[in-house]
Each structure stands twice: as C-alpha cells, then as structure tokens.
Amino acid sequence: MEHDIWDSLLLPGASEATLSQDLQSVLHSVRTHLGMDVAFISEFDQGRRVLRVVDAGGSTKGPKQGHADPEEESYCRKIVDHELAGRIPDTGLNASTRSMPVTEDLEIGAYLGVPLHHASGEVFGTFCCYRHEPDPSLSERDLALLRTVADIVSRQIEQRFRARREENAAVARVEGVLAQQAVKIVYQPIYDRSVGRVVGYESLARFSAEPYRTPDVWFSEAKRVGAGERLEMLAIRQALTALEALPDGTYLAVNVSPVHIISGAVARTLAGHDASRIVLEVTEHERVADYAAFREAVAPLRQRGVRLAIDDAGAGYATFQHILELDIDIIKLDISLIRDLHLDRRRRALTASLIAFAETIDAVVIAEGVECQEELEALWEFGVYKTQGYHIGRPMLLQEALGAGLAPS
C-alpha cells in the first residue's frame, strides 16, 4: 500500500482533508448508532495491522490513530482469513479471542469487523468497531449495516487512491521530462512584408517523451503537480540557446506565464542574454492575478529592452483587460480571427477594431495563424504586414528556420 496515499488522507489540505473528515464522520455515526466505544479503519501494512482513522468519542481509553499490532495477532487479519466471525458479542466466550493479547490490551468485550476491498477485490484493510463490555444484543443486522457502510467507505478510499496514483504517475512523467530535458524547441518565422524579410522567430516547445501529448497538455500537467515553473523555464532556456545564431535585426519570442514573471523566475532565466532581442508573449488565456505586481516585476526587464506581447488577442474576453492593464508593445491577432478573414465580415470588423486600438497605443500588430494567400491579402488591406502561420512558414528546427527562403507574394 502506498504510504503517502494514506498520509495524504490524514494530513491537512484540500480534498485529502475533506475525505479524512468524511471518514471520521462515518466512523462516529456508525459507532454511536451501534452503541460502540471505538470504531476504526485499519490497513494491512508490511505485516502490521495499522489503525488509520479512529473514533473513540474523545475517550482517552481508546487506541490512537497510527496504533499498530502484528497482523497475525489482530482480529482484523483473522476475520479476513475467516478464522473469526465478523460478529463477536462476547470475546470472553470465544476461545480464540479470549487468548489473544490484543483483547486485553485494547479491552475488547464485543466486536464487529468487515474487510475493506480495492476495486480489484483485493483486501487492503478492515472497518471495525468494538465495546469494552460484552454485548449479547449484537445481531447479524448490525453486521450487515457495517458491511454496507464498509462498501461505501471502500469506494471513497479507492477513488482517492486512484486519484493519488494518477497524480504520482503525472509527477513521474513530468520529472522524467525535466531530468532528461526532453524538450525540443522549434522556431516559427514572423515575416514583415514592409521590409521584405523575417523579423522574428517564435519559439515553441515540442516533447519527445512518451506518451505523446501536445505541449499544452504537458505544461498543464506540470502546473497541476507543482512543476510548472521548472518546465517553463527549461523550455525558455532551451529556446535562448538560439539567440546568438539568429540573424542581426531579428528577435526571439518566448511564451511565458504571468505568474512566473511575477515570481522573478523569468528575469532570472533571461539574465545574461541580450534583452533587446527578446519578446515575452503572454497568452490571452493566462489569468493575471495581480496586474500591479506584474507591472512591477516586468519593469526591470522593460528597462533592459524586453518587449511585451499579448498573444491570442481576440480569442476571449481577457484580451481587452490585458491590453488595458499592461503597457504592451505587440498585439498578436489570434488564429480564430484570421481564419477565413476574407470571407467573414464579423471577423473583419473585430480585426479592424483591434488594429485601430493598437494604433492609438502605438502597439505593433502581428497576425498569427495565416494559412492561405486570401487571408494574407485581407490582412494587407488592413495594413497588417507582420504575419506568421503555415502559409508563411511552419515551426522548424533552428537550422531549417534559418535556411528557409520566405517571400510571400
């Protein structure tokens, strides 16, 4: 059994604390309903029977959470192995329990116990309760009630076990990527028709680790398991290795999360690099929890020459708040606006509005996701000459990107 899983059920924190409280509540309800002194959930752990959750009604007489006995000397093990019945009204009248040390140690007079099962059917512990005095009134109905409740408890614990196993697997996947630095960077060119050349390259992460998943899934999983900053900084460091190889007059765009700008991680990662050739792209989809803190954190980078872009503009409502709150240099129009721009008057209207707004704040507009000549020409009609997308050039390895001859007609 995974010890960290049981520990997580009993330590303070989010859903784990909630489950622990739920189990405690169930134990209390069953114990009081049956008129018992102690109720507990146990686990079989490396030859021991360990009490994982205990309710003794506040009595100092009952065992404490974590109490352990040798497995073979416990009622629990004998009940699971069918050496003891699940209902023992008087332990003093039972030849087996009368001679067991645990009977005297825990002052067990009457006992009810049933196994707890994994979904696979494997027994992992027991749900039990007992009185210090014999109780001849204990019935098979009482045992049936305990068995019903135990089934519910088993499902609750199994769900949490499954979730924690999945979380452990996610941690292992992300840590594997970090340890192997299994992040490959590709570069997508940004072409400026007004000067007739590539002016920048957006760096994009690709993952070679198994299982194959898209980059957004990897970054989302890393964030969920607390490794989001480490993975994002790894990708940025890998991207920065191309900076010196890029042609003069071009820049490198890297995608960043606002939280990592605020934490200072981005500033630390960019230290020692030519900031004037770096653009930080903050996606429209990323929430900025504290705009004042963001502006304060990014100010030293701006002073060094870093430019700030809002990525995916037009993809959702947050774009406008980002634009209003942040002193941005570049607005990147999202592919959802560019797709069929030449055919859709609503997209054209919103695009025109964003372009007009960009002009009033002296921001440069770049259209991303350009996939056909008609979209490109529609953008030229708006005066948008900086573009990227499959029609301009696909994301490529560095040497391929540098050697690509791009001259959209």
Side-chain angles (χ1 to χ4, degrees):
M1 184 69 64
E2 303 95 327
H3 301 290
D4 61 327
I5 294 176
W6 266 110
D7 291 343
S8 74
L9 298 179
L10 308 172
L11 292 172
S15 58
E16 293 90 348
T18 301
L19 180 55
S20 179
Q21 292 166 5
D22 288 346
L23 295 178
Q24 199 79 46
S25 177
V26 168
L27 285 176
H28 179 76
S29 296
V30 170
R31 183 184 64 77
T32 55
H33 178 79
L34 295 176
M36 295 296 201
D37 296 310
V38 177
F40 63 83
I41 293 171
S42 78
E43 176 200 9
F44 297 129
D45 178 19
Q46 299 180 354
R48 302 178 306 153
R49 186 283 315 268
V50 184
L51 307 190
R52 295 301 189 183
V53 189
V54 179
D55 180 76
S59 171
T60 58
K61 194 174 183 180
K64 300 295 187 288
Q65 179 179 299
H67 176 93
D69 291 307
E71 194 174 303
E72 69 277 5
E73 297 178 11
S74 69
Y75 286 24
C76 298
R77 182 75 263 173
K78 293 184 181 299
I79 287 173
V80 168
D81 292 341
H82 305 292
E83 295 178 18
L84 279 179
R87 177 178 65 93
I88 308 173
D90 188 341
T91 59
L93 299 179
N94 184 293
S96 180
T97 58
R98 186 170 57 239
S99 62
M100 293 175 66
V102 69
T103 303
E104 182 177 348
D105 292 344
L106 297 183
E107 299 183 37
I108 303 174
Y111 195 93
L112 290 174
V114 294
L116 294 172
H117 298 88
H118 283 303
S120 63
E122 178 189 0
V123 174
F124 65 84
T126 58
F127 188 119
C128 305
C129 53
Y130 64 87
R131 290 191 65 183
H132 295 305
E133 302 296 330
D135 184 1
S137 70
L138 279 185
S139 66
E140 285 298 320
R141 174 177 287 187
D142 296 328
L143 185 61
L145 170 65
L146 194 64
R147 192 172 287 117
T148 299
V149 175
D151 288 342
I152 297 171
V153 168
S154 291
R155 286 195 292 271
Q156 284 185 304
I157 295 173
E158 178 67 23
Q159 288 171 1
R160 184 55 199 157
F161 281 173
R162 188 180 302 114
R164 180 50 64 92
R165 283 193 292 268
E166 291 171 357
E167 184 174 347
N168 288 345
V171 169
R173 285 192 295 268
V174 172
E175 290 295 338
V177 167
L178 290 167
Q180 299 168 26
Q181 298 192 13
V183 181
K184 178 177 68 176
I185 303 298
V186 292
Y187 300 84
Q188 186 168 35
I190 300 166
Y191 185 83
D192 186 349
R193 185 194 187 205
S194 65
V195 296
R197 64 178 176 83
V198 171
V199 294
Y201 298 85
E202 180 179 356
S203 61
L204 300 164
R206 298 291 183 264
F207 293 83
S208 57
E210 295 293 337
Y212 171 77
R213 277 109 54 89
T214 55
D216 60 310
V217 174
W218 279 108
F219 283 111
S220 177
E221 184 166 81
K223 180 180 179 180
R224 182 168 59 82
V225 300
E229 179 180 300
R230 293 165 60 202
L231 185 59
E232 188 169 302
M233 294 311 106
L234 172 61
I236 293 175
R237 287 195 301 272
Q238 301 278 58
L240 289 170
T241 61
L243 197 56
E244 292 185 2
L246 297 184
D248 292 340
T250 62
Y251 66 85
L252 176 69
V254 295
N255 293 278
V256 298
S257 300
V259 65
H260 301 144
I261 291 178
I262 294 173
S263 74
V266 172
R268 292 190 294 271
T269 302
L270 298 186
H273 294 280
D274 184 355
S276 66
R277 301 186 67 191
I278 297 172
V279 170
L280 301 180
E281 293 194 7
V282 178
T283 178
E284 184 273 353
H285 303 289
E286 283 281 350
R287 178 174 175 268
V288 178
D290 187 335
Y291 282 104
F294 182 95
R295 289 191 293 268
E296 181 179 355
V298 83
L301 293 172
R302 304 295 296 274
Q303 291 169 3
R304 290 178 51 205
V306 167
R307 285 175 289 167
L308 189 63
I310 297 299
D311 197 12
D312 305 324
Y317 72 93
T319 295
F320 302 103
Q321 187 174 8
H322 283 0
I323 292 173
L324 291 172
E325 294 283 357
L326 305 177
D327 182 20
I328 59 160
D329 303 287
I330 299 169
I331 296 176
K332 299 192 72 175
L333 303 180
D334 185 65
I335 187 174
S336 62
L337 278 181
I338 306 307
R339 181 64 47 79
D340 294 330
L341 179 66
H342 56 296
L343 301 175
D344 192 323
R345 62 183 179 84
R346 292 169 299 180
R347 284 184 168 85
R348 293 174 67 87
L350 182 53
T351 298
S353 297
L354 285 170
I355 293 170
F357 183 81
E359 291 175 351
T360 66
I361 62 172
D362 295 323
V364 173
V365 174
I366 298 174
E368 55 185 352
V370 180
E371 296 192 351
C372 68
Q373 184 67 21
E374 290 81 5
E375 293 169 352
L376 188 62
E377 292 175 357
L379 288 163
W380 291 345
E381 291 176 13
F382 282 114
V384 177
Y385 298 122
K386 292 182 174 66
T387 53
Q388 74 179 95
Y390 281 10
H391 187 64
I392 310 300
R394 291 174 176 269
M396 297 171 274
L397 295 176
L398 180 61
Q399 293 307 313
E400 296 172 344
L402 295 178
L406 304 173
S409 57

